[in-house]
Each structure stands twice: as C-alpha cells, then as structure tokens.
Amino acid sequence: DAEITQSPRHKITETGRQVTLACHQTWNHNNMFWYRQDLGHGLRLIHYSYGVQDTNKGEVSDGYSVSRSNTEDLPLTLESAASSQTSVYFCASSDRGHEQYFGPGTRLTVT
Amino acid sequence: GQNIDQPTEMTATEGAIVQINCTYQTSGFNGLFWYQQHAGEAPTFLSYNVLDGLEEKGRFSSFLSRSKGYSYLLLKELQMKDSASYLCAVRSVNSGAGSYQLTFGKGTKLSVIP
C-alpha cells in the first residue's frame, strides 16, 4: 500500500544546531507540503513543492529550507534551530488539487 | 489573505447530532476540506465541497455556501471515537502560477460524552 512516512518521529536538539526532518511518500504524488502545528495556531504551511526541483515558501518559511531532488522525498532543514521552532511537523502529499495525505508527524524539541 | 474561523471547543452526547461551523474569507476560493485529527495523530481527510450544497458520506455530511463564505460539518449518531479535532481548510488557487494551497482553521476540539 502507498504511504507517507516521516523520520525521526521524535527529536531533541540544541539551539543553533542544524536539523533535517525526512519525508518520504510512495503515492507518486507531485505535490508535497511541510506544515507545523502549534497550540493556538493550527496547521501552518512552511514550504511546498509541485515537482522535482520546484520549491516554494509558505506562510512561516523563515529559518527553514527544503529541496526536491526526486518525486518521493522532501526533506525539511532547520538551518540553525531556535526554541521558537519547537513544534510538531507534518509532511503531506497530494495529487494535483486533491486531498492531502499526511504523514504521522515529527515532534521536535529545541532546548 | 485568508481568514478562517471555527469554534475552539464543542461538547456533545453519544448518539446525538452535532454541527461544526466554519466561516472563511479568502481570495481565489477553490474548495473547502474537512479533516479529522485525533490527539497525537495526523489529520485524515473527511470531506470536500467545491459547489454549494450538501455532501453526504455515511454519518458525516458537509455543507457549503460560497456566497456566505460558510460551511458546516454534520456528525450524526455520535460515537465516543468521534472525539477529535475537526479542521476546516480552504483551498485557494493562484491562477497565474496554476498552484493550489490549503489554509487551515485552528480546529474545533469535539468531546463526545456518554
């Protein structure tokens, strides 16, 4: 069965370190998205991609970057982790315009 | 920009019917989605409306009025497992770029009590 996975599921890191969160989907979807979810804010879009070599900034992109070298993967990098980036991160994918399928999430704590 | 409002919390009794409302203000509206999210889990797709009217899917129905910027999710015959957050999300299209984005409301936490 097709699926979307994220790793790690839990991560604790220190302020200033670079962190990469992985997202892998086997749906063969062109569209992939990264969100963060915080109490009181709901899901907010960080970056998104509509295909290989395509990346776009979302609502809260400062301090984050993504790259898309193949259809299956969209890793999210925190260049220099900050305490404000403590959150739950969800990756999602979709076929053009259709519903998004979400990964299980990564809980990131920056100390 | 996008603005989506839904109640923060609701409580309903097992076996009853509950309606969760969502109002939105957006440019380039191209559809409205409802997702269910159990605590500690990922959101899962429930329903989609792009035209005015009611879409029914078993115990769950969703309604859309584009002229009023309003949608609701109706849950019938409530079960304890329906206790979750329900997220309203509006899809907008950037016609110039041919791209779609989802903007989520903050979610409504529904508690089903015996």
Side-chain angles (χ1 to χ4, degrees):
Chain A
D1 286 347
E3 61 178 356
I4 179 166
T5 57
Q6 295 182 232
S7 62
R9 296 293 312 279
H10 302 270
K11 174 79 175 177
I12 300 173
T13 191
E14 295 178 345
T15 301
R17 290 194 181 262
Q18 183 181 79
V19 177
T20 297
L21 309 183
C23 175
H24 179 80
Q25 53 98 3
T26 57
W27 292 99
N28 200 33
H29 287 159
N30 284 324
N31 303 340
M32 295 185 73
F33 308 84
W34 273 104
Y35 295 90
R36 60 178 290 175
Q37 188 172 38
D38 306 284
L39 277 175
H41 288 281
L43 282 162
R44 291 182 291 174
L45 183 64
I46 305 171
H47 281 285
Y48 58 102
S49 168
Y50 289 115
V52 176
Q53 302 302 331
D54 176 73
T55 61
N56 306 279
K57 293 181 179 181
E59 177 189 356
V60 290
S61 60
D62 287 349
Y64 304 94
S65 64
V66 293
S67 61
R68 187 88 179 272
S69 59
N70 58 52
T71 300
E72 296 80 17
D73 299 290
L74 186 70
L76 176 72
T77 298
L78 287 68
E79 304 293 344
S80 177
S83 57
S84 60
Q85 295 176 309
T86 292
S87 187
V88 179
Y89 292 85
F90 288 101
C91 178
S93 71
S94 73
D95 200 354
R96 178 177 167 84
H98 295 175
E99 69 269 20
Q100 294 183 12
Y101 294 85
F102 284 81
T106 295
R107 184 174 295 274
L108 177 67
T109 303
V110 183
T111 62
Chain B
Q2 324 286 355
N3 188 39
I4 301 172
D5 287 314
Q6 48 181 136
T8 304
E9 294 186 37
M10 298 182 71
T11 301
T13 305
E14 191 176 14
I17 299 172
V18 71
Q19 178 174 312
I20 302 173
N21 296 324
C22 172
T23 58
Y24 64 89
Q25 296 171 309
T26 187
S27 56
F29 176 83
N30 194 256
L32 190 142
F33 294 80
W34 284 95
Y35 284 81
Q36 181 190 58
Q37 186 177 25
H38 285 100
E41 297 183 8
T44 55
F45 169 73
L46 282 178
S47 70
Y48 166 65
N49 296 70
V50 67
L51 299 175
D52 291 352
L54 190 68
E55 293 284 341
E56 297 188 78
K57 232 184 201 185
R59 294 190 298 116
F60 291 25
S61 304
S62 57
F63 171 83
L64 176 66
S65 169
R66 289 172 296 170
S67 62
K68 295 181 178 177
Y70 168 70
S71 173
Y72 67 73
L73 179 69
L74 194 70
L75 291 75
K76 303 175 187 174
E77 301 169 15
L78 279 172
Q79 302 176 10
M80 300 300 290
K81 67 178 182 179
D82 297 329
S83 292
S85 289
Y86 292 86
L87 314 180
C88 172
V90 171
R91 183 174 68 189
S92 56
V93 60
N94 181 333
S95 58
S99 62
Y100 298 84
Q101 286 189 39
L102 275 188
T103 303
F104 285 83
K106 294 179 182 178
T108 299
K109 184 177 180 181
L110 175 67
S111 299
V112 180
I113 57 176

